[in-house]
Amino acid sequence: MKSVLIIGLGRFGRHIASKLNELNHQVMAVDINEERVDAVLPYVTNAQIGDSTNEDFLSSLGIGNFDICIVAIGDNFQNSLETASLLKELGAKTVIARAATDVQEKFLLRNGADEVVYPEKQLANWTAIRCTSQHILDYIELDGEYSIFELATPETWVGKTILQVDIRRKFDINILGIREEGRLHMHISPDTVLPANSSLLVVGHPKSVQWCFHI
């Protein structure tokens, strides 16, 4: 269980709070807008109404006690930048901040943020990859080289073992798991038989995955 501070409770911040609550983490939520704070109360351990650009207010929260501080402010980049910088000055262990442009991402990384999330860009990438083929069920970019794909198991592979399809040797693609009837099975071996009506969780270079799965 981690202790997480979320600053900024628009749609993005509320979704993060809800998911963290579902994962049983302790969440402190902060926003200058009382209505937004009230809306997130069912999902958080504690909540405060306040200005995150005010050093005294932030200091009163005990920033050093949180494992992660998330700056989810989406409507005022100056406030987001000041908040990320203050958090780091006050001893935040890890600061994750939201960006809306490449320029914002660069400024945040230079001024206190340890990591930056770029929801619009990341969702656009996901949509572009996802819509290129009906066989792609999900997609996660790991870095510039490798990505994780969930793809429908090719009909010609059904009934064969992972060793028989041998995509690791042929395409440098690893099968991480098999989803069957809604359940993901990660305990697999070279002798695991690929079932019908299933999907595969694989990791590899996107171009290799395209060649292998003909997408």
Side-chain angles (χ1 to χ4, degrees):
M1 179 188 296
K2 291 187 178 295
S3 178
V4 182
L5 171 65
I6 301 176
I7 298 175
L9 301 174
R11 288 190 298 270
F12 184 61
R14 288 200 303 274
H15 283 304
I16 295 174
S18 177
K19 188 62 179 180
L20 287 171
N21 175 68
E22 183 182 319
L23 296 172
N24 296 315
H25 294 296
Q26 293 184 333
V27 179
M28 160 76 83
V30 170
D31 198 286
I32 200 168
N33 184 301
E34 183 176 358
E35 290 184 3
R36 289 182 173 182
V37 172
D38 289 342
V40 83
L41 286 176
Y43 312 117
V44 300
T45 309
N46 200 353
Q48 294 281 345
I49 303 167
D51 180 1
S52 62
T53 64
N54 183 302
E55 185 174 355
D56 290 335
F57 171 71
L58 275 190
S59 181
S60 71
L61 300 178
I63 298 303
N65 296 323
F66 295 100
D67 296 304
I68 303 169
C69 296
I70 300 174
V71 183
I73 300 170
D75 54 2
N76 189 317
F77 178 65
Q78 184 63 36
N79 285 355
S80 180
L81 193 62
E82 290 182 25
T83 298
S85 180
L86 280 174
L87 285 170
K88 210 61 182 177
E89 289 177 12
L90 292 170
K93 298 170 185 174
T94 300
V95 177
I96 300 175
R98 175 186 181 176
T101 67
D102 292 336
V103 172
Q104 288 184 6
E105 181 178 8
K106 291 176 182 178
F107 273 104
L108 286 165
L109 288 172
R110 291 173 184 170
N111 291 274
D114 297 293
E115 298 178 36
V116 171
V117 291
Y118 194 160
E120 290 83 1
K121 183 177 182 179
Q122 290 162 342
L123 183 57
N125 289 342
W126 183 92
T127 302
I129 294 292
R130 172 67 181 82
C131 73
T132 57
S133 172
Q134 61 182 357
H135 300 295
I136 300 175
L137 307 177
D138 206 350
Y139 162 81
I140 301 172
E141 185 175 296
L142 299 178
D143 57 23
E145 290 291 324
Y146 295 96
S147 299
I148 295 175
F149 291 80
E150 183 175 352
L151 305 110
T153 303
E155 292 184 8
T156 55
W157 294 8
V158 172
K160 296 181 179 179
T161 66
I162 291 176
L163 182 61
Q164 286 174 323
V165 299
D166 202 15
I167 61 173
R168 182 173 183 176
R169 181 182 63 83
K170 296 175 182 176
F171 299 96
D172 195 26
I173 296 171
N174 288 305
I175 297 177
L176 304 177
I178 301 171
R179 190 185 302 278
E180 185 180 14
E181 296 180 352
R183 296 189 61 184
L184 183 60
H185 305 282
M186 301 293 288
H187 299 291
I188 58 175
S189 72
D191 296 323
T192 299
V193 176
L194 302 177
N197 302 315
S198 65
S199 60
L200 303 177
L201 197 66
V202 305
V203 61
H205 192 283
K207 286 193 177 295
S208 296
V209 174
Q210 286 180 319
W211 294 331
C212 178
F213 287 85
H214 307 291
I215 55 178

